[in-house]
Amino acid sequence: MGGVASTPRWSSNAQQQQHTAEYLIGAFIGDISFPINSEYWQHLLLLPFDHHWPSHRYHQACLIFAQNNCFTRHLAKILIHLAWCLQALVGTSGVQSEALTKAVNALHISSVFLQYLIENAKGNTNEELYLSMDDSESLPDNFPRDQSIAHFVMDSVLSCIGLVDVSSDTYLLHHGLLNFMLVAMSTQLLSGPSPGPDDSHPFTDAAMVQKKDVINLAVRRLLLNYIARSQFPSTIASYAIFAEGNQPGVLQRVGSAAANLVLLPLSFIVSSSGEASRSLVAESSLNILLILIHFRKCVVPEPGKLEFDGNAKSDSLLKEQTYSFENPYCKALENARDVEFDHADIERNARGGPSIPFASLFDTLGMSLADEGAVLILYSLIHGNADFLEYVLVRTDLETMLIPLLEILYNAASSRSNQIYMVLIILLILSQDSSFNASIHKLILPTVPWYKERILSQTSLGSLVVIFLARTLKYNQSELRDVYLHTNCLAILANMAPHVHHLSAYASQQLVSLFDMLSRRYTKLAELKNDKMHTFNGESKDGDSLPDDMQSSELHVYTDFLRIVLEILNVILTYALPRNPEVVYAILQRQEKFLPFKSHPRFNELLENIFTVLDFFNSRIDAHKLEGEWSVEKVLEVIIFNCRSWRGEGIKMFTQLRFTYEQESHPEEFFIPYVWQLVMKRSGYRFNPKSINLFPVDNPVEISYVSQEAAKDENNGSDNEVQLDQVV
């Protein structure tokens, strides 16, 4: 094994046989090493792959390749040829069909075998991929001596993505580039949810140390791809990688986890179904961008710089003292600037971020927010990019973005919890701006057709936000009991409170009903605590114990929640009562709900203001009761009339609550697993579930890509070795 083959002579007699898929693929996976400059590589990459292999033969081919790659280094060699092909495309003014075919074929072949090696890696991925040349073979002169093969390839891939436009000629190329990056960066699936200094991600690490201009161009292209949403061109069937007609070519027929996504069948790509009609390049671009911007490389300080505490556990101490390198893709996204102001903004130009059409990006996101990936990239933009956040805040059509987000909250029962979190964080960030809080009450929507509980007509966008936040709180209270979700909903309402303007009757009722809902839970917890205290202090049986710590903690949390709701109502009554008669009416309607808490030490100050308002309006209403028949409309008329004479006498002024969003100290522990779960869900990307350590996999089942015949061959083999003549 591991012999070095001389350059084959492609004679006329042997040419037809040697050019077949069986020979060339068989030589690629076999135990004979072809030199990097061998003519073999040119023939392999120009091969019209129109031969049909059953799926189990591909699995066997991957097994053989894994056994021999350590000797042949064919993965490293095809990656070098891939980089050369991409450099040739970038370096020419027009797209050359031969260079394009070679690049597409190199992408597909390397992606198939690379994924198999990654998902079957047992230890250090970098070592098991053998991304280096054998000592007996020197590197070619046109290979940079100061770079690793992974760095060389990722430089070429990212440069090609950034510099080659997406067209009908290059669509398949870009599709292959993005799928190759997905496969190459899938080493993250092998690591745990908390990045560690020993994690091995050769291609992702290489992507993180590329030049700034390469990164900016790549981020720009990925966003432009997402905006453009180019469809798969109908002329794509002319590529040699596909067979004639709608039959899948040789690599498309790979049924294994190593290739079933990477090489989509033409019949799927050009299908007229809704699922297949999505823009593959747009969706893949978003996936790659999300993976790139949320990756973090864990670094441990030098031994001499570690601070030790004898009382701290070593694991927690190590985690506290680790840090992450600044992610250049995240930085590029944060520094992205609007193409409309690119030339005028000298300060932004100095930072050197990519130039993006914000208007088109805003419109695309508004149409796509039903997709969880769009919600996550919107979060990344408004949290990290101050210019894009400012652009969103000055838009006069905020409903374009807010209505899809509110619809996600409306469908919370069928949405993933992480998606709900992202929506609430987006709303929290937006609510930190006073102009946003004021403007959403000026936007009137004629109807909300997807809201089924009642007809919402001529309702302000601000009222809708209150309605759906209250609805989310009630759903969380009954189903999820998630304190984090409760806190974010109340924080948004608190930020909005000083700017509430003509809140609708339904929104006012929902807001006031929050106090009733939370007070019932608080009362129940308080009664349980008192019962346990009485039991403990009385003649209790053996085994009785003090009140449960968790119950006491929950009681404390609900005390805080009730206080926040009271502060929200106080702020509205203090600063916005004259323009919110419906809120006054809703409080009057449920005034008995506040009485049990009037003397509570945590609530009495806030309730004094509420009862001052209640006394004022109750006295006015009582004065009008003698005038005849009484109705809801007449009560509201009295409230509206007396709102004009309200001067706030007796109201105590409290400091307004103001909430801001801050990421946790180690956000990667949430975002990296979340992004990969999302990407695999969005793309259909399949990875051996038994190899995934990044997030828990429910009931992992071995992917059935091996036929019974192939499985039988494996079980009968020695140490899982498969002979080449079984495949070719």
Side-chain angles (χ1 to χ4, degrees), residues 166-409:
V166 178
S167 65
S168 58
D169 292 330
T170 63
Y171 195 97
L172 187 60
L173 170 70
H174 278 273
H175 182 250
L177 287 166
L178 295 168
N179 280 330
F180 172 81
M181 287 199 67
L182 180 61
V183 171
M185 295 190 292
S186 67
T187 54
Q188 295 177 51
L189 293 169
L190 306 177
S191 301
S194 182
D198 297 328
D199 292 345
S200 177
H201 308 301
F203 294 100
T204 314
D205 291 342
M208 292 296 138
V209 293
Q210 297 298 322
K211 295 178 181 178
K212 184 178 179 180
D213 57 342
V214 172
I215 291 172
N216 283 343
L217 286 171
V219 170
R220 176 179 176 273
R221 174 63 61 195
L222 293 173
L223 284 171
L224 291 179
N225 288 347
Y226 183 65
I227 293 169
R229 310 194 74 75
S230 302
Q231 297 297 311
F232 205 94
S234 58
T235 57
I236 206 70
S238 63
Y239 278 106
I241 194 69
F242 291 112
E244 293 297 324
N246 285 340
Q247 294 300 315
V250 64
L251 291 180
Q252 281 73 25
R253 292 186 62 85
V254 177
S256 70
N260 76 310
L261 169 77
V262 174
L263 310 174
L264 291 170
L266 178 63
S267 57
F268 171 83
I269 294 173
V270 300
S271 168
S272 60
S273 68
E275 183 69 19
S277 62
R278 298 181 308 162
S279 171
L280 294 175
V281 164
E283 300 299 324
S284 297
S285 295
L286 180 58
N287 291 338
I288 297 305
L289 183 59
L290 289 173
I291 293 171
L292 286 171
I293 63 175
H294 288 291
F295 177 76
R296 293 295 182 273
K297 178 67 175 177
C298 179
V299 180
V300 179
E302 297 177 10
K305 298 181 179 180
L306 284 172
E307 298 178 6
F308 290 98
D309 182 352
N311 297 322
K313 292 184 179 180
S314 58
D315 291 343
S316 60
L317 180 66
L318 185 63
K319 181 177 177 179
E320 288 177 5
Q321 299 198 24
T322 57
Y323 63 95
S324 299
F325 277 125
E326 186 176 64
N327 184 315
Y329 296 88
C330 183
K331 196 70 177 176
L333 189 70
E334 291 174 356
N335 288 333
R337 56 190 185 271
D338 191 357
V339 67
E340 296 293 330
F341 302 99
D342 193 8
H343 302 293
D345 195 337
I346 299 174
E347 181 183 353
R348 294 296 289 173
N349 285 328
R351 297 185 214 170
S355 180
I356 305 296
F358 280 2
S360 299
L361 181 57
F362 180 92
D363 292 339
T364 300
L365 288 170
M367 294 185 294
S368 309
L369 286 173
D371 171 37
E372 202 170 344
V375 174
L376 185 51
I377 195 64
L378 173 60
Y379 159 79
S380 303
L381 283 162
I382 69 166
H383 174 251
N385 190 309
D387 283 2
F388 186 77
L389 175 59
E390 182 181 352
Y391 176 84
V392 170
L393 293 172
V394 299
R395 289 279 296 219
T396 57
D397 57 343
L398 281 169
E399 71 276 7
T400 302
M401 186 168 287
L402 286 184
I403 290 299
L405 295 176
L406 295 179
E407 189 172 3
I408 294 171
L409 295 182

Side-chain angles (χ1 to χ4, degrees), residues 387-447:
D387 283 2
F388 186 77
L389 175 59
E390 182 181 352
Y391 176 84
V392 170
L393 293 172
V394 299
R395 289 279 296 219
T396 57
D397 57 343
L398 281 169
E399 71 276 7
T400 302
M401 186 168 287
L402 286 184
I403 290 299
L405 295 176
L406 295 179
E407 189 172 3
I408 294 171
L409 295 182
Y410 177 72
N411 296 313
S414 58
S415 301
R416 298 207 306 168
S417 58
N418 287 344
Q419 186 178 14
I420 299 173
Y421 294 152
M422 289 296 103
V423 170
L424 292 177
I425 292 171
I426 290 169
L427 293 176
L428 178 57
I429 294 171
L430 294 174
S431 72
Q432 292 169 197
D433 184 83
S434 58
S435 65
F436 167 83
N437 294 323
S439 62
I440 58 175
H441 289 283
K442 299 174 184 176
L443 287 169
I444 306 298
L445 300 177
T447 184

Side-chain angles (χ1 to χ4, degrees), residues 82 85-90 95-96 99-108 156-157 159-161 163-181 232-233 236 239 241-242 281:
L82 167 61
C85 294
L86 297 177
Q87 289 175 349
L89 286 174
V90 171
V95 177
Q96 300 176 357
L100 187 61
T101 299
K102 289 167 63 178
V104 170
N105 288 353
L107 284 165
H108 285 352
S156 302
V157 168
S159 297
C160 192
I161 289 174
L163 294 171
V164 176
D165 292 333
V166 178
S167 65
S168 58
D169 292 330
T170 63
Y171 195 97
L172 187 60
L173 170 70
H174 278 273
H175 182 250
L177 287 166
L178 295 168
N179 280 330
F180 172 81
M181 287 199 67
F232 205 94
I236 206 70
Y239 278 106
I241 194 69
F242 291 112
V281 164

Side-chain angles (χ1 to χ4, degrees), residues 525-543:
L525 290 169
E527 289 174 351
L528 287 172
K529 180 180 178 180
N530 290 334
D531 290 345
K532 288 192 174 184
M533 289 297 295
H534 289 315
T535 302
F536 179 76
N537 292 327
E539 295 181 1
S540 59
K541 299 179 181 179
D542 291 340

